[in-house]
Structures are given as C-alpha cells and as structure tokens.
Amino acid sequence: MKQKLIKSDLPKPSSAYANLVAPNAGSAPSVPLLTEQQAAEFLNIRPGTLACWRVNKRYPLPYMKIGRSVRYRLSDLEAFAAAREQGADDLAQGDEQ
C-alpha cells in the first residue's frame, strides 16, 4: 500500500544549497516567469511560433525548461521586443531629408 507524502516529510534544504541556488534571495526581486502561452500573448504571436523559434534557433530569445514546461522571463521578452523596435529612428531621419 502506498503512503501519502506529506510536505513536512520532505527534507529541508541546507543553507549552503540555498546560497548556491539564490545567493541574494532576500534582496533580489523575483523575476516573473511566463508560460509559453503568456509569452506569446505578450509578443502578440501564436505559441507555435515561439516553439518554431526555439527549435530552429531563429532568434536569440532566452527560455528555461522546467521539467517539460517552457518558461520565459518577462525582462527577456521586454528586451527582445525593444531590440526589434523600428520606426521612430526611421521617421526622424525621413523628416531631415
């Protein structure tokens, strides 16, 4: 017969291990991790497009694999979008001609 695993039965991580995983966890703000669906909505594309980009390494968009799940940092998505921003410089140059 299987026994139920209770959270209190799990071993507590040592303080040395906690420092390796998150050395400044107390002072550093947590970075939001978005699911593939949320990341796709943020970029206004389909989740399948993100999957194609990952497989084909089309863009240098960092992601994390947590088990089978794919996660994206919000800050990485914002930087990715900002790096591809066009138009403002083009308009300014067009006005000067």
Side-chain angles (χ1 to χ4, degrees):
M1 189 164 127
K2 287 187 175 182
Q3 292 182 346
K4 283 191 171 182
L5 184 62
I6 302 172
K7 190 173 182 179
S8 62
D9 294 338
L10 298 174
K12 304 286 185 226
S14 68
S15 60
Y17 176 75
N19 288 337
L20 287 175
V21 174
N24 297 321
S27 63
S30 63
V31 178
L33 295 179
L34 304 179
T35 64
E36 187 175 19
Q37 179 67 38
Q38 292 168 327
E41 288 175 12
F42 178 83
L43 295 173
N44 198 26
I45 59 175
R46 294 180 181 154
T49 301
L50 280 175
C52 286
W53 290 355
R54 280 194 314 274
V55 170
N56 297 323
K57 298 180 182 2
R58 180 163 184 177
Y59 295 109
L61 180 58
Y63 64 93
M64 288 181 244
K65 290 283 291 197
I66 302 174
R68 291 183 181 181
S69 301
V70 176
R71 298 289 184 261
Y72 293 88
R73 285 186 193 98
L74 179 58
S75 58
D76 289 338
L77 293 169
E78 291 171 337
F80 177 79
R84 278 145 187 80
E85 184 175 336
Q86 298 179 13
D89 293 336
D90 296 338
L91 290 176
Q93 290 174 0
D95 291 339
E96 293 174 8
Q97 291 181 359

